[in-house]
């Protein structure tokens, strides 16, 4: 077992665990969006940032991809963590202004407005890729993927057309942290998507 501290509390974790896994094991809250225990972490959203400190030295790391190590000192509620968390929530509120899930999570951490302007007021997808990772790693298919780059980056079926590679299992719907897959699903599966959406509502 590896011994280290989180918020000055002595904790232990198994080799290979991430800071996030150790924190959750010890009931310490760290917000996440793109993380799901069923798939390998991607570090896409950066919401799970924590601060590592050693004397005067410190750095911010994404806890869902940073492995625990003997003797490290992790802090989840410092001023630097709060600042970066607020900044990420503000970016998310501007990226996904139509997502009630994002608004609710941001509000839970005290962020109710954003200084950034929203490019698309109807957008809900943060393009975290969790849906496509679940489709590939859990379901064993690649019916959906992240396509294009920059501001055009999005998730969908190849060529933005319904695909029968999708077996309508609903796994992507259930893990989507923003509710975006509810509306995207029609573009992936076509008409049966309407039935799935009702079943999983
Ligand atoms: S649909 Fe949901 S899970 Fe998929 S990329 Fe968008 S926000 Fe992430
Ligand atoms: S519903 Fe379709 S796209 Fe979604 S995880 Fe299942 S197979 Fe993949
Ligand atoms: S939850 Fe760690 S980067 Fe998204």
């Amino acid at each position: 077992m590896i011994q280290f501290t989180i918020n000055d509390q002595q904790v232990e974790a198994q080799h290979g665990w991430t800071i996030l896994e150790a924190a959750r094991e010890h009931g310490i809250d760290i917000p996440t969006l793109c993380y799901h225990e069923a798939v390998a972490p991607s570090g896409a959203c950066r919401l799970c940032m924590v601060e590592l400190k050693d004397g005067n030295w410190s750095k911010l790391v994404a806890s869902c991809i940073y492995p625990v190590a003997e003797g490290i000192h992790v802090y989840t509620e410092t001023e630097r963590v709060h600042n970066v968390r607020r900044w990420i929530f503000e970016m998310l509120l501007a990226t996904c202004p139509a997502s009630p899930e994002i608004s609710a999570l941001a509000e839970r951490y005290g962020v109710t407005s954003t200084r950034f302007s929203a490019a698309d007021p109807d957008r809900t997808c943060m393009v975290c890729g969790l849906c496509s990772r679940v489709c590939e790693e859990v379901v064993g298919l690649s019916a959906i993927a992240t396509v294009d780059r920059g501001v055009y980056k999005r998730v969908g079926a190849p060529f933005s057309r319904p695909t029968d590679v999708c077996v309508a299992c609903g796994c992507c719907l259930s893990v989507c942290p923003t509710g975006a897959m509810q509306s995207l699903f029609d573009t992936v599966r076509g008409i049966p998507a309407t039935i799935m959406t009702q079943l999983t509502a």
Side-chain angles (χ1 to χ4, degrees):
M1 297 296 276
I2 292 175
Q3 311 279 336
F4 65 107
T5 68
I6 302 181
N7 300 337
D8 295 325
Q9 171 191 338
Q10 193 69 37
V11 295
E12 58 178 23
Q14 293 179 20
H15 281 275
W17 281 16
T18 62
I19 291 173
L20 178 66
E21 287 172 314
R24 291 203 165 162
E25 178 72 15
H26 291 86
I28 297 163
D29 178 54
I30 298 174
T32 61
L33 277 170
C34 71
Y35 173 81
H36 195 285
E37 57 275 12
V39 293
S42 70
C45 74
R46 315 310 275 184
L47 186 59
C48 65
M49 298 294 268
V50 296
E51 187 168 4
L52 295 187
K53 285 189 186 179
D54 189 2
N56 292 330
W57 170 93
S58 88
K59 72 172 177 178
L60 292 168
V61 298
S63 63
C64 72
I65 52 174
Y66 201 92
V68 295
E70 190 71 34
I72 60 173
H73 301 292
V74 179
Y75 293 87
T76 65
E77 302 297 338
T78 64
E79 191 177 347
R80 279 186 84 188
V81 170
H82 288 171
N83 283 343
V84 74
R85 198 178 280 169
R86 162 171 280 280
W87 187 81
I88 290 167
F89 270 129
E90 288 195 41
M91 292 288 287
L92 286 166
L93 287 173
T95 305
C96 318
S99 168
E101 287 86 350
I102 292 287
S103 300
L105 187 62
E107 189 174 356
R108 199 176 121 206
Y109 287 89
V111 183
T112 55
S113 63
T114 175
R115 74 197 92 164
F116 306 111
S117 53
D120 178 357
D122 298 323
R123 182 167 170 163
T124 52
C125 179
M126 59 186 278
V127 204
C128 66
L130 183 54
C131 52
S132 57
R133 286 186 285 132
V134 164
C135 187
E136 182 179 355
E137 295 179 37
V138 177
V139 187
L141 299 171
S142 292
I144 49 178
T146 305
V147 294
D148 282 343
R149 293 182 180 189
V151 292
Y152 301 108
K153 196 170 154 192
R154 62 197 157 76
V155 157
F159 309 110
S160 301
R161 291 188 158 177
T163 171
D164 58 9
V165 173
C166 171
V167 295
C169 65
C171 292
C172 55
L173 288 165
S174 67
V175 298
C176 175
T178 70
M181 195 33 92
Q182 292 287 336
S183 52
L184 282 173
F185 199 53
D186 280 342
T187 67
V188 174
R189 196 65 181 93
I191 298 300
T194 309
I195 301 165
M196 279 301 300
T197 303
Q198 288 166 353
L199 288 173
T200 56

